[in-house]
Amino acid sequence: MLCSIVLALCFISLCQCEEPKSCSQFYYVDKLLEKMIRIELKGETLDKEIADTNSNVHLTLDELKRERDNFKNEIMEFKNLMKDFKINTDSFIGTMENKFLGFKTETREIIKNMATPNVVFKARTVKDKSPSKGETIIFQDIMFNYGKAYDETTGVFTVPVNGTYLFTVQVCLNNNKSFYYGIVSDYDVHTSGVFHDSTATICYTADATMRLDVGQKVWLKCLYGSPSGDVFYEYTTSTFNYWNTFSGVLVHV
């Protein structure tokens, strides 16, 4: 390509000489060298521009690569932050849920402890109307028994919950009969006395308040033997009753 350019320049230079005879060999050589130098200079300039362009392109590409890497790093950091945020958020939510559940449990326990359980019973109808000394008076017909603590087969109340209890008894005696009674807890007498009236059939009442623990037992006991014959009187009509009863209630835990 360069040779073709040189030959073309030589041809042009020869054609521009009006008097070929007067143009010396050195004249053409000078012209040819001058043109070649100009072409070489332009080529060098073009090469420099191309080199500069390539350098700028490489610099730009390197810069883009760095920006791309920085962007990727920022994306990864953002993902890690979001992951940490999610973990921390889940942990926070889990902690709050556990605290809330614990609070609910504690609140329920407090309310449960504050509320007095429904423990109350009442039974009537004495099984043995002529009890002997030391005998437990069994009231065999249950009127109600919330808490299932009274046993109508033994006449004994077994404490289901620690607390303060109130027990009451009513006994109706036949004329001229006596009944020596004791309301006892685990064989400790809490209330005792004697019921007697020689003039008529009368019902008497007695009560006892006790602070008891789970498992303790309470019953009505005959402290002394009675004369022969039925001591207790039972009578039921649609309008009037002579009932022998034993009842108890949990007052406070």
Side-chain angles (χ1 to χ4, degrees), residues 18 41 45 63 100 109 190 232:
E18 296 178 354
L41 291 174
T45 301
E63 184 65 25
F100 179 70
E109 190 66 25
H190 289 266
F232 300 112

Side-chain angles (χ1 to χ4, degrees), residues 18-234:
E18 296 178 354
E19 296 180 359
K21 292 182 179 181
S22 62
C23 293
S24 67
Q25 182 179 2
F26 295 105
Y27 175 78
Y28 295 116
V29 172
D30 289 339
K31 290 294 184 181
L32 179 60
L33 291 174
E34 182 182 349
K35 292 182 181 293
M36 290 180 66
I37 290 171
R38 287 202 298 272
I39 291 171
E40 186 176 357
L41 291 174
K42 288 183 178 180
E44 291 177 353
T45 301
L46 182 60
D47 289 341
K48 186 176 183 306
E49 291 177 353
I50 292 172
D52 292 341
T53 301
N54 288 337
S55 178
N56 291 332
V57 168
H58 285 298
L59 291 175
T60 302
L61 290 175
D62 291 340
E63 184 65 25
L64 289 173
K65 183 179 179 181
R66 283 194 296 272
E67 291 183 358
R68 182 196 64 186
D69 293 340
N70 291 335
F71 182 71
K72 287 175 64 177
N73 292 333
E74 290 176 357
I75 291 294
M76 290 300 297
E77 290 178 1
F78 179 75
K79 287 182 177 179
N80 291 332
L81 287 174
M82 289 301 295
K83 183 179 180 181
D84 293 340
F85 175 77
K86 184 178 183 302
I87 293 174
N88 292 334
T89 302
D90 292 343
S91 177
F92 174 76
I93 292 174
T95 301
M96 293 305 295
E97 287 179 346
N98 291 333
K99 287 185 177 180
F100 179 70
L101 290 175
F103 175 75
K104 284 179 64 178
T105 302
E106 291 176 0
T107 302
R108 287 176 179 174
E109 190 66 25
I110 291 172
I111 293 174
K112 180 180 177 181
N113 292 333
M114 290 177 62
T116 300
N118 189 23
V119 179
V120 57
F121 79 95
K122 188 171 185 179
R124 66 183 181 89
T125 310
V126 174
K127 183 177 181 181
D128 184 2
K129 293 182 180 180
S130 299
S132 57
K133 180 180 179 180
E135 182 178 336
T136 298
I137 309 302
I138 299 174
F139 298 83
Q140 58 188 355
D141 293 334
I142 291 179
M143 302 175 69
F144 50 84
N145 189 15
Y146 298 104
K148 307 296 182 182
Y150 176 74
D151 186 352
E152 71 275 18
T153 62
T154 62
V156 175
F157 173 85
T158 303
V159 177
V161 180
N162 294 347
T164 301
Y165 290 81
L166 172 64
F167 297 92
T168 60
V169 296
Q170 175 177 285
V171 293
C172 300
L173 303 182
N174 281 311
N175 184 28
N176 203 30
K177 295 293 183 179
S178 300
F179 176 59
Y180 294 85
Y181 72 91
I183 301 175
V184 301
S185 168
D186 292 345
Y187 302 100
D188 293 329
V189 178
H190 289 266
T191 298
S192 63
V194 58
F195 298 139
H196 175 78
D197 197 300
S198 59
T199 59
T201 299
I202 298 177
C203 295
Y204 300 89
T205 61
D207 62 69
T209 303
M210 310 176 194
R211 179 67 187 180
L212 301 171
D213 295 327
V214 173
Q216 287 189 271
K217 300 181 184 301
V218 179
W219 65 92
L220 179 64
K221 180 179 179 181
C222 178
L223 297 181
Y224 296 99
S226 302
S228 60
D230 290 346
V231 174
F232 300 112
Y233 176 78
E234 294 274 356

